[in-house]
Amino acid sequence: MPAETGRGPQRRLFGPVVLAGLGGGGLATAAAARLWFGFDPPSGSPQAVGLAEGGQAPAAVSLGLVCLAAWGALLVTRGRVRVAMAVLAALAAAAVLAAWVAAWGSVPDSLVADAAAQGIAGGDTHPTPWYFLSGLGAAVALAAAAVAVRLAPRWPEMGRRYDAPGGAAATAGEGESGEETSGRDLWRALDEGRDPTADPE
């Protein structure tokens, strides 16, 4: 009985934690695809050309997509595989944060160097709101993944009816109620083109 009492709050965290992970990962990825830093040339200097790509962090976008994919896989897996997906989501989110921190120094220096190659000396760089939003999203995704690593084994799992026939689904079917089994038989009959309400001959 005490085990069930402790499990209830943990199961209730499933929805909020998954939503936080997906939302944080999505925000981090979307913001990483935008301009993280801008460049302002000195007064009177020609406008710099083609520096937009220098103000982005493509690696953060790829890592964010890995984080999102791990959260998606976590929803449809069980047991150790689910925990592994939570660990992968945490590692990917941590890598986005690492890229975010590294970008603070490397991306502005890259912009200044690209501007110098165009004959523009000096100038100022500045972070855009997308930079801060990406860091916020990665931090939220990392925190959610850390919670998922701990609680994933106790979270509800997708029904065995989605397993391949003849495998674990057949074993689980032995413990299901007759009503659920009957409902499954009705759907199977419809899939086979038979009338489930007709009396057998």
Side-chain angles (χ1 to χ4, degrees), residues 14-69:
F14 174 70
V17 171
V18 171
L19 287 177
L22 289 172
L27 177 61
T29 305
R34 308 298 292 271
L35 194 66
W36 272 9
F37 288 86
F39 177 80
D40 298 322
S43 179
S45 298
Q47 187 67 34
V49 178
L51 296 187
E53 292 185 1
Q56 293 177 323
V61 179
S62 301
L63 292 168
L65 291 174
V66 172
C67 182
L68 286 175

Side-chain angles (χ1 to χ4, degrees), residues 1-18 147 150-152 154-156:
M1 195 68 169
E4 288 297 326
T5 303
R7 180 176 293 185
Q10 295 168 350
R11 291 174 69 90
R12 285 196 292 271
L13 286 174
F14 174 70
V17 171
V18 171
V147 174
R150 180 178 178 81
L151 300 183
R154 302 178 183 88
W155 280 347

Side-chain angles (χ1 to χ4, degrees), residues 4 15 31 55 130-131 139 165:
E4 288 297 326
W130 296 111
Y131 175 75

Side-chain angles (χ1 to χ4, degrees), residues 66-197:
V66 172
C67 182
L68 286 175
W71 277 107
L74 185 147
L75 289 172
V76 297
T77 52
R78 305 186 185 93
R80 294 180 180 178
V81 177
R82 170 173 276 186
V83 174
M85 290 300 102
V87 171
L88 178 59
L91 292 175
V96 174
L97 272 180
W100 182 81
V101 172
W104 182 261
S106 62
V107 174
D109 290 345
S110 176
L111 287 174
V112 171
D114 290 345
Q118 298 182 26
I120 303 174
D124 296 322
T125 60
H126 58 86
T128 69
W130 296 111
Y131 175 75
F132 298 106
L133 287 174
S134 187
L136 174 62
V140 171
L142 177 58
V147 174
V149 170
R150 180 178 178 81
L151 300 183
R154 302 178 183 88
W155 280 347
E157 300 173 347
M158 181 173 286
R160 295 279 184 176
R161 65 173 61 93
Y162 299 103
D163 288 347
T171 304
E174 296 176 1
E176 294 175 347
S177 66
E179 181 179 350
E180 186 175 350
T181 302
S182 177
R184 187 181 304 153
D185 290 340
L186 291 175
W187 282 111
R188 186 179 296 114
L190 290 173
D191 289 340
E192 295 174 355
R194 296 185 287 105
D195 182 3
T197 62

